Amino acid sequence: MDFAQALRALMAERGISGNALARRVPCDKALISRYVNGKRKPPAKVARLLDDILGAGGQLAALAAPSAPWHALNGTFTPDDEDRLTAAIHAPSRLTAAAVDSLAVILAAQRALEDQAGSAAVREPVRVQLATVGNLVAGARGAIRPALTDVAAQWAEFAGWLAISAGQPGEATRMYDRAAEWSAEAGNTTMAATVLSFRGHLAFLAGQFGTTIGLSRAAQRDPAVWAGQRAYDAHQEARGLAATGEWKAAARKLGEAADLTAFTACQGGQPPPWIYYYTQPFYVLERGWAYLYLGRHDRAANDQAIRFLKEGLAGLDEGTRSSEWAAEHRRHLVSAYYQAGAPDRAAAEAMEVAQVARSAGSASLLGALRRQHARLAARWPADPDVALLGEALR
């Protein structure tokens, strides 16, 4: 979704005409028309003002053409940060520790915006910035290089996640190749494990469950990896085992995952910045996802899936609950209700997912939801809730 498309969608959703928007900016109505028709993009200041007027949560500011690669996304990214990074672009060999810290600041802002506005809002800025980060890495040397490659690995890992959200597994794989190289150079064992973990996630999405199991085990192998990352991969391994019908092994692994999750809560400390969302409710959601596959052949296990997924979603804060990744877990709840024979509840949860998908401009999430609706409609063709869902997804 580009700036003009996002602006048109927000205006339609809010019921604001071009003339009304021009009065509120204020500006010439012809200028708003050029923004709406894609003939011109506003400067950053105007884009932020449009964000505020339309309640877009930063989406329009991210999609507006930036004057530099380091487009300010929140108040923590200062003009000094931009000056340092602009200077580093022109002279990578003179990169400073303060400039590397500025990289971390803007990356954190990108992550926060993605949670609010969806992956589509930040994907293009992240790609532009990652290209510049790659150029900095190519020219950096000396004592600053390990810190730079560490941040660069985090940037590539985030770009990989955005590619997954956009349904681009090939691009995601390329991003994880870069993240693996840079994390190895930086000596960041937890980032290296995260990359293995995401490769396992990609394999799961492709139905390659043996690869998921193997890569999840590899990600757990090094005890130096942060315990919370190993807890996640224990859940992912259990899910892979459940998907292949190895139910006893999956149950045992879920026990290990519970132990690692408890250890993380008590002694794990703060998560690394790139997996800030690995919270206790997140692990409950992962547990529910694993039980969803056990529940294909066991009603009691499916009941557990519903309980854990509902509990995990309820435990998220309001902002996180409306994020794309939380909506993906709500889709798992739709599947659990399908397995339970409850079309009304499945449709109700799917409606919530559809709202997030449209707000985030996520074509991949909407596509997955339409496939779920097709299954519901095939099983319950006359159900009124399923029919309403179908209307909403048109």
Side-chain angles (χ1 to χ4, degrees), residues 183-260:
S183 64
E185 183 177 344
N188 190 328
T189 56
T190 297
M191 173 54 76
T194 303
V195 171
L196 288 172
S197 177
F198 268 113
R199 287 184 181 278
H201 178 64
L202 275 170
F204 190 89
L205 295 178
Q208 300 166 355
F209 303 128
T211 301
T212 298
I213 294 166
L215 289 173
S216 299
R217 287 174 177 168
Q220 299 169 68
R221 194 167 294 141
D222 188 345
V225 170
W226 180 59
Q229 180 63 59
R230 288 183 283 128
Y232 170 82
D233 283 295
H235 282 100
Q236 183 166 264
E237 180 185 343
R239 180 173 10 106
L241 290 165
T244 57
E246 299 179 61
W247 301 306
K248 290 183 179 180
R252 287 195 298 271
K253 198 66 193 181
L254 281 171
E256 293 179 31
D259 291 342
L260 278 167

Side-chain angles (χ1 to χ4, degrees), residues 19-111:
N19 288 345
L21 187 58
R23 287 195 297 270
R24 293 181 66 178
V25 170
C27 68
D28 189 331
K29 64 182 180 181
L31 186 59
I32 295 295
S33 177
R34 287 194 286 272
Y35 295 157
V36 168
N37 293 318
K39 295 179 179 179
R40 182 173 175 181
K41 286 186 179 180
K45 182 177 180 180
V46 174
R48 288 195 292 271
L49 181 58
L50 292 170
D51 261 326
D52 291 340
I53 293 170
L54 295 170
Q59 181 182 8
L60 294 175
L63 290 171
S67 58
W70 314 111
H71 183 44
L73 295 174
N74 67 8
T76 63
F77 184 64
T78 67
D80 287 342
D81 291 316
E82 185 161 358
D83 288 345
R84 280 192 289 267
L85 292 171
T86 301
I89 291 168
H90 292 100
S93 62
R94 295 202 296 271
L95 185 72
T96 65
V100 174
D101 289 342
S102 295
L103 284 174
V105 168
I106 194 170
L107 180 54
Q110 297 280 33
R111 293 189 189 106

Side-chain angles (χ1 to χ4, degrees), residues 339-374:
Q339 290 179 176
D344 55 337
R345 295 184 180 181
E349 296 297 337
M351 285 287 198
E352 296 287 334
V353 178
Q355 184 176 350
V356 173
R358 293 198 186 281
S359 176
S362 176
S364 60
L365 186 54
L366 274 173
L369 196 56
R370 288 187 177 110
R371 290 190 292 275
Q372 283 186 301
H373 172 259

